[in-house]
């Protein structure tokens, strides 16, 4: 345990996904009218498959993505595409969760979000559980180091971002919104992420450069990081 973080280290992606899924199922079974924030990317696919198999009743549950590439929902770059494929379509039950996608609120040019999305977010509970990914550069959701506005209006629940290296816009929930979650977890795998994870946990506070630090500092509960030994190697060496 470090500061406000509980580090859950396993040998493999399958094992860390199993541990994270058990943690999540325990929360789900105790919750009603739950709201879950889930990430994109390939790392959570095993986690999604496991919770699809282990949870039978998703009624009164709402899912939101932590972020989205602003492309058509059938585009393989879309996080909604992967969440549908790897979680919702795997649930063998009629009681499916409601999936509140960003795509519903994108304008035809995929570079703005309709303000009615704010209204939708405001009409549901704050997240019961938020699971986030973590990039090798330390980005969270689509909040990339040095390319998001931490000083936006505190009431802003999302922001639209354009990276120089992308040929599309992105939309991301803000750190202020994410930190209101009752529970926050990260799922991190791979040696290429170990250095950024170490810096986020041990370097001086600089949340624009290392956004994970903002969540650690402001979240009222401990943050669970589920990672494999490769991703945790830098942290383990630092402690040793």
């Amino acid at each position: 345990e470090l500061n406000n973080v509980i580090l859950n280290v396993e040998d493999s992606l399958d094992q860390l996904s199993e541990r994270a899924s058990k943690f999540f199922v325990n929360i789900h079974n105790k919750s009603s009218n739950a709201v879950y924030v889930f990430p994109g990317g390939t790392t959570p696919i095993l986690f999604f498959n496991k919770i699809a198999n282990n949870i039978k009743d998703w009624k009164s549950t709402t899912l939101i993505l932590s972020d989205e590439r602003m492309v058509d929902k059938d585009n393989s770059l879309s996080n909604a595409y992967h969440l549908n494929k790897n979680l919702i379509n795997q649930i063998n039950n009629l009681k499916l969760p409601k999936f509140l996608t960003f795509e519903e609120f994108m304008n035809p040019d995929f570079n703005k979000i309709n303000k009615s999305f704010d209204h939708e977010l405001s009409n549901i509970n704050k997240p019961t559980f938020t699971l986030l990914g973590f990039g090798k550069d330390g980005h969270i959701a689509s909040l990339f180091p040095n390319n998001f506005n931490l000083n936006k209006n505190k009431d802003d629940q999302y922001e639209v971002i354009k990276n120089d290296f992308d040929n599309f816009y992105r939309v991301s929930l803000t750190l202020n919104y994410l930190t209101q979650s009752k529970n926050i977890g990260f799922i991190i795998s791979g040696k290429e992420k170990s250095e950024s994870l170490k810096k986020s946990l041990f370097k001086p506070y600089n949340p624009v450069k290392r956004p994970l630090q903002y969540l650690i500092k402001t979240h009222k509960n401990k943050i669970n990081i589920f990672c494999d030994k490769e991703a945790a190697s830098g942290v383990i060496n630092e402690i040793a």
Side-chain angles (χ1 to χ4, degrees):
E1 189 169 319
L2 303 161
N3 300 322
N4 204 29
V5 170
I6 298 172
L7 202 64
N8 305 275
V9 183
E10 298 290 345
D11 288 335
S12 67
L13 178 58
D14 183 71
Q15 289 173 320
L16 75 91
S17 300
E18 180 69 22
R19 188 162 175 179
S21 69
K22 287 179 178 177
F23 182 84
F24 173 77
V25 169
N26 183 53
I27 290 172
H28 180 79
N29 289 340
K30 296 176 181 176
S31 302
S32 59
N33 298 313
V35 176
Y36 302 130
V37 176
F38 285 147
T42 57
T43 304
I45 289 175
L46 281 172
F47 169 82
F48 291 150
N49 292 163
K50 289 174 187 293
I51 64 173
N53 288 328
N54 289 316
I55 292 176
K56 301 305 178 192
D57 189 352
W58 290 88
K59 71 173 184 291
S60 303
T61 300
T62 302
L63 307 183
I64 317 170
L65 286 163
S66 60
D67 62 313
E68 180 62 289
R69 298 176 179 93
M70 296 178 74
V71 295
D72 185 86
K73 64 181 178 182
D74 297 320
N75 189 317
S76 61
L77 289 172
S78 162
N79 288 336
Y81 170 88
H82 291 286
L83 190 69
N84 276 309
K85 178 182 177 182
N86 296 301
L87 176 57
I88 296 173
N89 293 348
Q90 303 300 321
I91 296 172
N92 186 22
N93 195 291
L94 293 177
K95 296 173 181 174
L96 294 175
K98 176 186 177 184
F99 183 16
L100 182 60
T101 69
F102 289 107
E103 198 270 342
E104 299 169 54
F105 303 93
M106 292 178 192
N107 75 349
D109 294 329
F110 296 109
N111 61 7
K112 290 181 182 173
I113 294 287
N114 188 312
K115 280 293 183 183
S116 61
F117 183 62
D118 279 310
H119 181 71
E120 291 287 334
L121 277 186
S122 299
N123 279 345
I124 58 176
N125 294 330
K126 295 301 182 188
T128 312
F129 177 69
T130 290
L131 184 69
L132 295 166
F134 184 81
K136 62 183 179 182
D137 59 358
H139 78 266
I140 292 170
S142 278
L143 304 173
F144 287 78
N146 305 310
N147 196 30
F148 69 97
N149 188 355
L150 186 61
N151 298 314
K152 282 173 74 80
N153 185 321
K154 297 292 185 188
D155 293 331
D156 285 347
Q157 301 179 99
Y158 67 87
E159 66 175 293
V160 174
I161 292 161
K162 179 67 170 68
N163 288 319
D164 291 340
F165 51 82
D166 289 330
N167 60 1
F168 46 78
Y169 286 82
R170 294 171 181 257
V171 59
S172 177
L173 297 174
T174 64
L175 290 176
N176 285 320
Y177 181 83
L178 294 171
T179 199
Q180 295 176 65
S181 305
K182 290 181 184 175
N183 303 278
I184 295 178
F186 280 81
I187 188 162
I188 308 175
S189 176
K191 180 73 173 176
E192 70 278 4
K193 299 180 180 179
S194 63
E195 187 65 20
S196 281
L197 181 58
K198 181 181 78 171
K199 288 178 178 177
S200 293
L201 295 179
F202 294 104
K203 287 286 186 180
Y205 186 68
N206 186 341
V208 173
K209 192 174 182 180
R210 293 180 280 273
L212 173 55
Q213 293 180 335
Y214 183 86
L215 295 181
I216 292 171
K217 184 174 181 179
T218 59
H219 186 54
K220 61 182 182 296
N221 296 320
K222 293 190 182 299
I223 292 173
N224 276 271
I225 295 179
F226 301 93
C227 60
D228 57 22
K229 285 183 176 178
E230 288 193 329
S233 59
V235 178
I236 293 168
N237 290 337
E238 184 76 20
I239 296 170

